Amino acid sequence: MKLTNRSKVVSNKEMTLAEKIYLPAVFKGMGITLKHAVRNIVKGPPIYPYPEVDKPRAEIWRGQHVLKRDEEGRERCTACGLCAVACPAEAITMVAAERTKEEKHLYREEKYAESYEINMLRCIFCGMCEEACPKSAIYLTDRLVDVETNRGSFIYGKDKLVEKINERIDITPRQSDKQKNAVK
Ligand code: SF4
Ligand code: SF4
C-alpha cells in the first residue's frame, strides 16, 4: 500500500570514465580489504563464536521493533498512522479498528491496530517511527531480525511485533526524556 507521495524516481545519470572502467573503485575496495587484513594480522581478528557468544552491540543499536503494551497489558498503539507517515522507507502499513466495550482490557485507546505490518526488507532501522509515535507504542530494540529464506517472511505482523504479555521488553534506556514524560 502506498501511503505517501514522497518516493522519487532516481534518474540514471551518465557514468564518468573512471566509473566506466571500474578500476578506481576496485583499487579502493582492495585498499579497504588490505587495511583490515593488516589490522587483523597485527591485533588479531575480533572473533565471536556466534551463536554461543553474541557480538556486543552499541547502546544506540536499532534492531527489531516492538509494539509496546501498557502497565495493564493493553496494546498502546492507536493506529494513528503517524509512524507510517514518518517512515522514509514506507515500510509500515496498518488497518485501524474501533475498540468495543468488551475489548477495553486489550486495547488502551478507543481505536487500535487490527493489523500492523512492517516490511523488514524495506526498513532501514532509522528510528523515525519511534520518534513520531505519540503513544510511546513503538520502539526499536536490540533484537536481531531473524534470517529468512523467502521475502514474504520478512513482513512482520502483530504476532511478531506486539510485546508478549509474559516477556516484557525494557525500552527505558532507549527513551528520550520527552518520551519518558509522554508515557502515561
Ligand atoms: S525504523 Fe525507520 S525505516 Fe524502519 S519502520 Fe521505522 S521509520 Fe520505517
Ligand atoms: S505505533 Fe504509534 S505512531 Fe504508529 S500507529 Fe501506533 S500509535 Fe500511531
Side-chain angles (χ1 to χ4, degrees):
M1 187 194 297
K2 193 171 165 69
L3 290 166
T4 71
N5 293 319
R6 285 177 298 159
S7 50
K8 289 179 188 161
V9 178
V10 179
S11 65
N12 288 330
K13 73 172 177 61
E14 190 74 20
M15 286 203 290
T16 62
L17 180 66
E19 286 169 337
K20 276 182 186 162
I21 59 175
Y22 297 113
L23 284 178
V26 169
F27 287 127
K28 191 177 165 194
M30 288 173 73
I32 293 170
T33 306
L34 194 64
K35 187 178 84 181
H36 286 285
V38 171
R39 193 191 63 188
N40 287 346
I41 290 166
V42 175
K43 287 188 180 177
I47 294 172
Y48 298 95
Y50 184 83
E52 286 77 23
V53 178
D54 217 350
K55 187 179 175 185
R57 289 193 275 279
E59 278 184 22
I60 55 164
W61 175 270
R62 294 190 291 254
Q64 187 191 315
H65 314 60
V66 62
L67 284 174
K68 288 291 290 174
R69 295 177 182 274
D70 69 4
E71 60 287 347
E72 295 175 33
R74 301 171 299 181
E75 290 179 21
R76 301 188 72 95
C77 176
T78 188
C80 64
L82 285 175
C83 51
V85 173
C87 176
E90 300 190 351
I92 301 176
T93 54
M94 73 195 70
V95 176
E98 294 283 337
R99 181 188 71 182
T100 63
K101 275 186 193 163
E102 296 74 38
E103 291 173 335
K104 277 188 176 175
H105 64 292
L106 297 175
Y107 309 110
R108 193 167 186 268
E109 312 287 339
E110 289 175 4
K111 205 173 75 160
Y112 69 96
E114 190 175 55
S115 85
Y116 188 107
E117 290 182 342
I118 300 180
N119 185 335
M120 293 297 175
L121 290 179
R122 295 193 71 122
C123 177
I124 53 171
F125 301 94
C126 62
M128 296 294 283
C129 45
E130 64 180 5
E131 291 284 329
C133 182
K135 299 292 177 186
S136 274
I138 188 165
Y139 286 95
L140 277 72
T141 68
D142 62 355
R143 298 175 301 165
L144 298 177
V145 172
D146 291 334
V147 175
E148 306 286 357
T149 52
N150 64 83
R151 298 179 70 84
S153 302
F154 284 100
I155 313 255
Y156 278 22
K158 284 183 71 176
D159 55 327
K160 285 194 173 174
L161 295 171
V162 176
E163 184 177 37
K164 302 279 178 292
I165 196 82
N166 51 358
E167 287 173 40
R168 305 303 288 266
I169 297 170
D170 181 20
I171 42 75
T172 46
R174 293 196 54 80
Q175 286 179 311
S176 64
D177 289 341
K178 193 176 157 199
Q179 284 169 326
K180 279 180 186 152
N181 294 333
V183 177
K184 297 187 198 98

